[in-house]
Amino acid sequence: MDPNLLAELHGDKWRELSMLAKKNSLNPAQTHRFLDLYRDASKDLSRIMTVAPDSLEAARLSAIVHRSRNHLSAVPAGGLSGFSRFFVISLPLSIYRLRWDFLIVAACFLAVASLAGIWAGMHPEVLETFGDHSFRKQFAEHDFVDYYKENPNGFFAVGVWTNNAWIAVQFVLLGITGVFVVSGLFSNAVNVGFSGAMMFEFDRGSDFFWYILPHGIPEISCIILAAAAGLRLFFAWVVPGPQLRRNKLASEARSLLTVAGGLVIMLFISGLIEGFVTPNPIPPTLKIAIGVLYTAAVIAYAWYFGKRAARAGLSADLDEHQAGYSILATDR
């Protein structure tokens, strides 16, 4: 390959690469362009070095590639930058991407819980499988409410948080199985429905809602979000689209693990609500309002930052040079 001819053909690309390598920061489109130009320039340099290593074109292109390599392998931003990216881009964007999955899973969960409660309420023999009349009466009139008051607030809050966080992380990590998430969500919905049926059996329906809604709205929302993330991971494996199955699964897993980390934080606040607000003697409407406001704040946060990141073309996944290049599947 004649170095002069190669310089004439690709000189514009070399100059563009040189200009991008001098920039302090690149937007997503510029980053992709920079990587493409760097790969092409590296190939051109290899060709020139095999035929004319002492030519001016070799020296010129070598300097451009060297500067670009330094730009590409520069020291990454510090921990504060990573912390900011997590809360401003990765977490809200991951949640925003799951908005439709969340709505579908939430609708299914509420439908199962409602149907289970109505069915159990209309069939006394179903409720008898939980215990005899005296057991159900004790549960409805004492145990359900006492559960939130029998332990110190702080101890109870931490216990609830660790249990719910563990469930959420399992739903995300084991979502690849599909079955684990569906069965776990179904059993939780049925338990909620049956508990409500036992409360209504002894005219304690108001207690059921007063005590379960303040923390239940944010808590169940987090669990449903975890289930939605897990099912997204399952479908990434089953229906990978145009990407290789392993690439699609790896990309979704890296992004959705962000959701698991965020849910641990969100469930901690939900645990504080359950430990300190739910058993508090303040008006029930105020307790429910606290849970609703917290959930609305999380939705607003994910919507604002997530939508902004999506419009900017950002990704919750790792950068290309960290995660490896994506390969489109042309044949399976």
Side-chain angles (χ1 to χ4, degrees):
M1 172 65 69
D2 184 358
N4 294 321
L5 177 59
L6 195 62
E8 184 176 348
L9 293 174
H10 297 167
D12 291 340
K13 291 184 178 181
W14 297 352
R15 284 188 290 272
E16 184 181 357
L17 176 61
S18 180
M19 291 176 60
L20 291 175
K22 294 176 182 178
K23 291 180 175 291
N24 292 327
S25 61
L26 302 174
N27 62 37
Q30 290 174 326
T31 301
H32 285 288
R33 180 61 174 167
F34 175 81
L35 291 173
D36 291 339
L37 292 172
Y38 174 74
R39 293 174 203 152
D40 292 341
S42 298
K43 293 177 182 177
D44 290 342
L45 179 61
S46 177
R47 292 169 183 166
I48 294 177
M49 294 299 289
T50 58
V51 296
D54 298 325
S55 64
L56 291 177
E57 287 74 15
R60 172 191 168 201
L61 185 55
S62 178
I64 294 174
V65 171
H66 178 71
R67 187 186 308 119
S68 302
R69 185 182 300 113
N70 288 339
H71 189 70
L72 187 65
S73 60
V75 176
L80 186 60
S81 176
F83 183 84
S84 175
R85 175 180 170 80
F86 177 83
F87 284 103
V88 177
I89 298 176
S90 300
L91 178 58
L93 179 57
S94 296
I95 297 175
Y96 181 76
R97 289 177 61 238
L98 291 170
R99 61 193 184 282
W100 300 118
D101 308 71
F102 173 85
L103 290 176
I104 294 172
V105 175
C108 294
F109 180 89
L110 293 175
V112 171
S114 301
L115 291 174
I118 294 172
W119 178 61
M122 295 176 62
H123 298 81
E125 65 274 12
V126 175
L127 293 178
E128 290 176 1
T129 61
F130 286 85
D132 56 23
H133 183 272
S134 61
F135 173 85
R136 301 196 306 274
K137 184 176 182 180
Q138 174 69 22
F139 172 83
E141 297 182 351
H142 300 284
D143 294 348
F144 183 83
V145 174
D146 291 345
Y147 167 74
Y148 300 99
K149 301 178 178 180
E150 59 188 5
N151 292 306
N153 299 85
F155 179 82
F156 180 62
V158 172
V160 167
W161 169 53
T162 53
N163 178 67
N164 290 332
W166 175 236
I167 292 174
V169 171
Q170 282 184 300
F171 272 13
V172 176
L173 295 181
L174 299 179
I176 192 173
T177 64
V179 177
F180 181 85
V181 174
V182 173
S183 62
L185 206 61
F186 181 83
S187 63
N188 274 278
V190 170
N191 287 336
V192 170
F194 283 3
S195 296
M198 285 191 286
M199 295 295 289
F200 274 92
E201 182 185 14
F202 296 95
D203 298 322
R204 297 286 177 155
S206 59
D207 285 345
F208 174 75
F209 289 112
W210 292 144
Y211 278 86
I212 202 172
L213 288 181
H215 66 275
I217 293 174
E219 178 183 293
I220 294 176
S221 296
C222 288
I223 297 301
I224 290 175
L225 183 61
L231 291 175
R232 172 69 74 93
L233 193 60
F234 171 72
F235 284 108
W237 167 59
V238 176
V239 188
Q243 289 182 288
L244 289 173
R245 183 169 280 105
R246 62 176 180 270
N247 290 343
K248 179 68 173 178
L249 181 60
S251 176
E252 289 289 1
R254 289 190 297 265
S255 299
L256 295 174
L257 282 178
T258 302
V259 176
L263 287 174
V264 171
I265 299 171
M266 289 186 278
L267 283 168
F268 175 73
I269 300 177
S270 176
L272 293 179
I273 294 175
E274 185 168 358
F276 291 92
V277 176
T278 298
N280 198 289
I282 61 177
T285 52
L286 179 57
K287 292 192 288 187
I288 294 176
I290 292 174
V292 171
L293 287 175
Y294 170 57
T295 306
V298 172
I299 293 174
Y301 153 77
W303 186 268
Y304 175 76
F305 288 105
K307 188 175 184 179
R308 188 175 69 170
R311 284 182 172 178
L314 301 178
S315 172
D317 194 2
L318 298 175
D319 294 333
E320 261 191 356
H321 69 278
Q322 294 175 316
Y325 300 127
S326 299
I327 301 174
L328 293 179
T330 59
D331 188 19
R332 278 197 183 87

